[in-house]
Amino acid sequence: MQLSCRWIGLCLALAYLGVGATAHSADAPLPEPRLAEELVPEDPLVLEWLKQLQDASSPGAYPLPSSYGDNEAQTFNNALAAMAFTLKGEHARARRILDFYARATDRDNQDPTLQNFFYKGEARGFYQHVRHHADGDVAALHTTDADRWIGDLAWLLLACEYHDQSCHESRYAELSGLIRDLLLGFYQDAETGRGGFIQHGWRRGDTRLHEDSGHHEGNIDCRAALRVCGRGETADRIGLWLADVVQGDSLPLDLYTWRVLAEGPEARGLMDIPESDPRYRKTLTVRGRPVTGFFHGPDLEVDNIWPDGTGHAACAYAACGDTLHANFYANQLDLLLITEIIGGVEVRGLPYAVNRTGGYQWVDPERGFLSAAAWYIFAKNRFNPLRWAPAR
């Protein structure tokens, strides 16, 4: 017997509060449909998790580590954090992140491992990740063999533009322009003559420039970023190329969720692929409660949930106006919250993965992760980070 949408929403809210939760086996799905009329209110301690992570780990204008006690500062994660702070009106905190990247643009930089946009006068972009603090022979804010990844650069461009347009400023206009022009410089027409793509950029500690083909996920990011900074013609050409090359029902999850975020309601049908496929959609028992979410790719043998991807899905449904599905998956994230103490303050975060299976041996399921916290905030605010407009 199916439960009503309102009753599902109530049950989720009660589960979130610790009332009436019952254990389910890992292979027992929640009652259909996976819809909720009510959105469980955003837990303010997740934003507090981001604040305390910043204050305890990066008290100045400095990138944040990916989790408390971690020693890796990722450009993508910091772009997400800056967007989450901007979304919540914490503009000074967003600037503490973006100011770092705006200053790391010394054209005379001679250090090939330093997190700096230039090397000997050549624009190369920012590394995907660097050490947060000194680690052995590697100095703080340096790397060994990271990529200067176009996807991360596109997200940082989105974060800069979102801040400036939200605050009616041009504080990061120069940084945005540098990233935009670099991505445009990496553009290449497709051999088919239909559209084109942004090439990979510098890879493996600057030992290689580009790969032979375009990267699908990175070009979804670049298309969205170029569109918001007024380069619609190039963005449209990337869209033509993506339409030709990104097809199928066994792709990485974000090739469905991010395409919906980038394209809007007309791409709504893409969400039917992971939604209907148990290779992606998983129901597990987490701390005695059933939780449904998404894994990062199609794998029937893995029982794990990727909170980032579940947040993507919630935001993608919201971008399409499908608030019932959006509410359901946003509510599922509340069931994954874990309590931590950072800087002597009790906060709540979400892990990068619910357990260590499926290639996540490095994950601590009891430690919050920066990107997961950002996607939780996006999902609870029905925010589309690739187009910015919150769904209503």
Side-chain angles (χ1 to χ4, degrees):
M1 178 179 178
Q2 291 186 346
L3 296 176
S4 70
C5 298
R6 186 174 299 278
W7 179 245
I8 290 173
L10 177 60
C11 288
L12 287 167
L14 291 174
Y16 168 65
L17 294 172
V19 180
T22 58
H24 283 52
S25 64
D27 58 355
L30 287 174
E32 297 283 0
R34 289 175 292 278
L35 308 170
E37 288 189 353
E38 304 296 332
L39 179 65
V40 173
E42 176 183 352
D43 189 328
L45 292 187
V46 178
L47 177 61
E48 191 64 30
W49 185 92
L50 281 176
K51 291 180 179 180
Q52 293 303 320
L53 180 69
Q54 184 176 50
D55 290 347
S57 305
S58 301
Y62 205 64
L64 278 66
S66 296
S67 59
Y68 185 55
D70 186 35
N71 197 29
E72 187 170 270
Q74 297 182 332
T75 301
F76 170 69
N77 287 349
N78 275 277
L80 291 182
M83 294 185 85
F85 281 139
T86 301
L87 176 63
K88 300 304 292 184
E90 297 284 348
H91 302 303
R93 289 184 176 276
R95 292 176 193 129
R96 283 163 62 178
I97 298 170
L98 298 177
D99 282 352
F100 166 79
Y101 291 98
R103 287 198 304 268
T105 53
D106 178 10
R107 287 167 172 78
D108 295 326
N109 171 51
Q110 303 292 307
D111 187 339
T113 66
L114 177 65
Q115 183 65 298
N116 195 86
F117 193 86
F118 292 93
Y119 176 59
K120 293 184 177 180
E122 181 180 20
R124 295 193 173 190
F126 294 111
Y127 283 112
Q128 191 169 29
H129 54 81
V130 293
R131 299 293 197 281
H132 191 245
H133 299 295
D135 180 16
D137 294 334
V138 182
L141 306 177
H142 288 67
T143 189
T144 53
D145 60 353
D147 294 343
R148 299 183 192 257
W149 176 230
I150 60 168
D152 290 30
L153 292 169
W155 279 93
L156 184 58
L157 174 53
L158 287 163
C160 291
E161 290 287 325
Y162 179 49
H163 170 277
D164 279 359
Q165 293 194 27
S166 296
C167 298
H168 306 289
E169 296 179 357
S170 57
R171 185 183 184 98
Y172 302 111
E174 181 179 0
L175 177 58
S176 293
L178 288 172
I179 299 173
R180 177 200 65 215
D181 291 347
L182 182 68
L183 296 179
L184 290 171
F186 288 165
Y187 175 82
Q188 176 176 303
D189 283 322
E191 292 183 359
T192 61
R194 180 176 157 85
F197 55 88
I198 307 297
Q199 296 170 283
H200 287 70
W202 291 90
R203 306 206 66 196
R204 302 178 187 137
D206 286 4
T207 60
R208 181 173 183 176
L209 178 60
H210 304 318
E211 298 292 341
D212 295 333
S213 60
H215 189 278
H216 301 161
E217 175 199 305
N219 273 274
I220 294 172
D221 308 336
C222 289
R223 185 186 183 203
L226 292 174
R227 184 167 48 201
V228 303
C229 65
R231 294 299 185 268
E233 181 177 351
T234 303
D236 289 344
R237 293 189 62 77
I238 295 171
L240 292 174
W241 176 79
L242 287 168
D244 287 344
V245 300
V246 183
Q247 300 177 6
D249 60 1
S250 298
L251 304 172
L253 178 67
D254 49 17
L255 292 187
Y256 303 114
T257 54
W258 287 9
R259 282 160 71 198
V260 174
L261 288 170
E263 302 303 330
E266 60 269 27
R268 163 65 179 82
L270 291 173
M271 288 305 301
D272 294 339
I273 295 174
E275 174 67 29
S276 61
D277 191 340
R279 295 179 303 163
Y280 296 93
R281 194 194 71 250
K282 313 288 182 178
T283 299
L284 289 81
T285 298
V286 180
R287 291 184 288 276
R289 299 180 294 190
V291 184
T292 296
F294 293 97
F295 191 55
H296 74 257
D299 195 326
L300 196 60
E301 302 303 317
V302 173
D303 285 323
N304 201 354
I305 290 174
W306 183 34
D308 279 41
T310 305
H312 303 171
C315 293
Y317 277 123
C320 297
D322 186 347
T323 56
L324 297 181
H325 275 103
N327 291 348
F328 176 83
Y329 285 110
N331 290 349
Q332 296 301 292
L333 294 175
D334 289 290
L335 306 178
L336 300 178
L337 291 173
I338 51 180
T339 299
E340 293 185 84
I341 304 296
I342 301 180
V345 178
E346 182 175 296
V347 293
R348 292 197 186 99
L350 296 94
Y352 189 74
V354 169
N355 57 56
R356 293 187 171 94
T357 63
Y360 291 113
Q361 295 86 354
W362 58 273
V363 168
D364 183 347
E366 296 304 319
R367 177 177 292 184
F369 201 82
L370 196 160
S371 59
W375 281 106
Y376 173 90
I377 291 171
F378 296 163
K380 287 297 182 179
N381 289 272
R382 296 174 180 162
F383 176 70
N384 183 345
L386 294 183
R387 282 183 175 261
W388 305 335
R392 298 300 181 191

